[in-house]
Amino acid sequence: MVLWWNRWMAFRTEAGSRADEIDRLHAFFKSSGLKSKVTLEGGQLKRLHVRSKDEARAKELAASYDAEHS
């Protein structure tokens, strides 16, 4: 059962050699207590999803992650 307040939204999409970044960011979100999920599309396109209510926190965490790993 999907509840209307628990909808997932696409947060970041990567393909090719950068697709591994999705897995790393997913692990970072998980270690920070943010729920997320990864879907595969077309065999090589990975998409990271977060719950729509957690979008602001995901943006903050992603900015922190990008600063550490750039």
Side-chain angles (χ1 to χ4, degrees), residues 3-20:
L3 304 175
W4 66 271
W5 61 83
N6 195 22
R7 295 197 186 239
W8 295 91
M9 60 171 281
F11 183 74
R12 188 175 286 184
T13 303
E14 297 288 353
S17 62
R18 293 195 38 94
D20 290 336

Side-chain angles (χ1 to χ4, degrees), residues 16-69:
S17 62
R18 293 195 38 94
D20 290 336
E21 280 295 312
I22 294 293
D23 294 327
R24 291 186 193 105
L25 187 57
H26 175 64
F28 182 74
F29 282 176
K30 187 175 179 180
S31 70
S32 299
L34 184 71
K35 292 188 177 188
S36 60
K37 65 181 181 178
V38 176
T39 59
L40 296 173
E41 295 180 24
Q44 58 179 318
L45 187 69
K46 282 189 179 180
R47 186 166 286 159
L48 179 65
H49 300 267
V50 296
R51 292 184 295 181
S52 56
K53 69 178 185 176
D54 295 330
E55 180 184 9
R57 182 146 188 262
K59 285 181 181 180
E60 292 172 6
L61 288 173
S64 171
Y65 174 84
D66 290 339
E68 288 180 19
H69 296 92

